[in-house]
């Protein structure tokens, strides 16, 4: 059979259409041998190969053959059943990846926002269990400073003078610190700090407004608010706790395409997500 020829499979009543080359990714698998009529488990009826197995789980097997990646939904739980199906089809590389269940399961990610309001200044500290999330958030948040005459905390408009960007403080890979608001300087002028959070282009000076935009940004990014508490009523420190399920990195296999290859494959971690 030509590797470009279209093949139709009916697996447990679910119909799949693919190319022969997709099924031949692993030459020693039963799916590859099926194309040569070397396996009685697969019956050819009316131009379709009939397989009496789970059709829903076979969709994940087809996705693996097409992409050479194992990428499962966050709510997936049938690891052992899918491993058993992979073994049935002779896809032992996939079965081995599925046995590493801890690499495929989504992880709970925790993030905490601490907000302190002191006179005309607001202080923020963000802690995260995943350093990648903190890095991404740090790229979205910008702080600007400038001097203004007679400008107060509640002024909605930044000075017409050019504002100077300030770097965020990064005590560690898992947290960041920044502040906004105004403070007195010499010559009876205000030193103002503005915060901007992409994709919103506004430069905000009011701490409550910045907090609202920050919380809204986290909610839109898939986090859910799970707790609020007052750490210190005297210092006006509030703490907001967030959680979300972080998808694991995909597991990818590199298929050996050299002549005489038996279809052996080597698994490696996809580096699309690095943080823990």
């Amino acid at each position: 059979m030509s590797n470009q020829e279209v093949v139709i499979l009916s697996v447990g009543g679910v119909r799949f259409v693919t190319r022969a080359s997709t099924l031949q990714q692993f030459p020693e698998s039963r799916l590859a041998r099926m194309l040569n009529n070397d396996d009685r488990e697969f019956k050819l009826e009316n131009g379709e190969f009939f397989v009496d197995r789970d059709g829903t789980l076979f969709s994940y097997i087809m996705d693996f053959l097409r992409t050479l990646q194992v990428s499962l939904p966050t709510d997936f739980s049938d690891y052992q059943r899918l491993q058993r199906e992979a073994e049935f089809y002779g896809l032992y590389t996939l079965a081995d990846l599925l046995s590493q269940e801890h690499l495929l399961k989504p992880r709970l990610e925790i993030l905490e926002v601490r907000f302190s309001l002191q006179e005309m200044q607001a202080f923020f500290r963000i802690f995260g269990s995943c350093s990648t999330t903190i890095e991404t958030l740090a790229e979205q948040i910008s702080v600007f400073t400038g001097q203004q005459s007679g400008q107060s905390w509640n002024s909605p408009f930044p000075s017409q003078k050019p504002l100077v960007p300030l770097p965020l403080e990064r005590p560690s890979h898992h947290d960041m610190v920044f502040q906004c608001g105004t403070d007195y300087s010499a010559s009876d002028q205000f030193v103002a700090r503005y915060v901007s959070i992409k994709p919103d282009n506004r430069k905000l000076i009011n701490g409550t407004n910045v907090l609202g935009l920050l919380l809204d940004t986290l909610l839109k990014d898939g986090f859910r608010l799970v707790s609020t508490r007052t750490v210190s009523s005297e210092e006006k420190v509030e703490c907001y706790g967030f959680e979300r399920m972080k998808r694991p990195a995909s597991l990818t296999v590199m298929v050996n395409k050299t002549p005489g290859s038996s279809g052996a494959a080597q698994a490696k971690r996809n580096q699309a997500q690095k943080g823990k």
Side-chain angles (χ1 to χ4, degrees):
M1 177 179 289
S2 168
N3 62 4
Q4 294 299 313
E5 190 169 340
V6 174
V7 180
I8 301 175
L9 301 93
S10 177
V11 184
V14 182
R15 197 167 181 263
F16 297 88
V17 181
T18 186
R19 291 189 181 276
S21 57
T22 301
L23 301 176
Q24 292 169 337
Q25 288 279 18
F26 298 87
E28 293 184 353
S29 71
R30 296 182 74 176
L31 289 171
R33 298 201 309 269
M34 170 193 74
L35 301 179
N36 299 322
N37 296 318
D38 290 342
D39 197 314
R40 296 181 180 180
E41 189 72 33
F42 303 89
K43 297 180 180 180
L44 184 61
E45 298 181 358
N46 300 321
E48 299 183 10
F49 287 97
F50 174 77
V51 192
D52 189 17
R53 303 293 294 191
D54 191 302
T56 300
L57 292 178
F58 189 73
S59 65
Y60 299 115
I61 296 218
M62 283 303 307
D63 182 66
F64 170 73
L65 292 174
R66 287 168 173 149
T67 65
L68 296 181
Q69 287 188 349
V70 183
S71 183
L72 301 172
T74 54
D75 59 349
F76 186 82
S77 59
D78 289 335
Y79 293 94
Q80 291 184 347
R81 291 183 59 213
L82 184 55
Q83 182 181 352
R84 186 167 63 243
E85 292 300 294
E87 292 172 347
F88 169 81
Y89 292 108
L91 296 169
Y92 298 109
T93 299
L94 174 58
D96 180 61
L97 293 179
L98 291 168
S99 68
Q100 304 176 59
E101 190 174 326
H102 65 285
L103 298 179
L104 295 167
K105 282 187 173 181
R107 294 173 295 162
L108 180 64
E109 183 179 355
I110 300 172
L111 190 140
E112 181 180 276
V113 176
R114 291 199 175 194
F115 172 64
S116 175
L117 193 61
Q118 300 176 16
E119 297 182 352
M120 294 188 295
Q121 297 185 76
F123 299 85
F124 296 83
R125 188 159 193 169
I126 304 175
F127 303 84
S129 61
C130 177
S131 62
T132 303
T133 297
I134 297 298
E135 291 288 348
T136 302
L137 196 56
E139 293 174 358
Q140 293 178 259
I141 298 176
S142 301
V143 179
F144 305 88
T145 186
Q147 284 192 341
Q148 302 161 11
S149 299
Q151 191 134 5
S152 68
W153 166 273
N154 290 314
S155 177
F157 302 107
S159 169
Q160 297 301 318
K161 298 179 182 179
L163 297 178
V164 179
L166 291 177
L168 296 177
E169 295 182 44
R170 296 295 307 277
S172 75
H173 292 297
H174 289 271
D175 61 342
M176 72 174 79
V177 178
F178 61 93
Q179 69 185 77
C180 64
T182 57
D183 193 13
Y184 286 107
S185 69
S187 304
D188 195 27
Q189 287 188 328
F190 284 103
V191 175
R193 289 198 184 196
Y194 298 88
V195 173
S196 178
I197 305 177
K198 297 178 181 178
D200 194 301
N201 293 321
R202 292 174 297 169
K203 293 180 174 65
L204 303 175
I205 194 171
N206 186 296
T208 303
N209 293 341
V210 173
L211 176 64
L213 179 58
L214 176 60
L215 300 187
D216 185 58
T217 300
L218 294 174
L219 292 173
K220 288 180 179 178
D221 202 29
F223 283 97
R224 63 186 185 95
L225 182 64
V226 294
S227 66
T228 58
R229 59 191 175 90
T230 301
V231 179
S232 172
S233 57
E234 295 181 358
E235 298 179 2
K236 298 182 180 179
V237 179
E238 300 174 354
C239 181
Y240 299 82
F242 291 85
E243 290 181 355
R244 74 173 175 184
M245 296 304 293
K246 182 177 178 61
R247 293 182 63 87
S250 298
L251 294 182
T252 306
V253 296
M254 302 298 292
V255 179
N256 188 352
K257 296 293 186 179
T258 56
S261 167
S262 63
Q266 180 181 6
K268 70 175 183 179
R269 290 296 300 271
N270 187 319
Q271 296 301 314
Q273 300 177 19
K274 299 178 182 178
K276 291 185 178 180

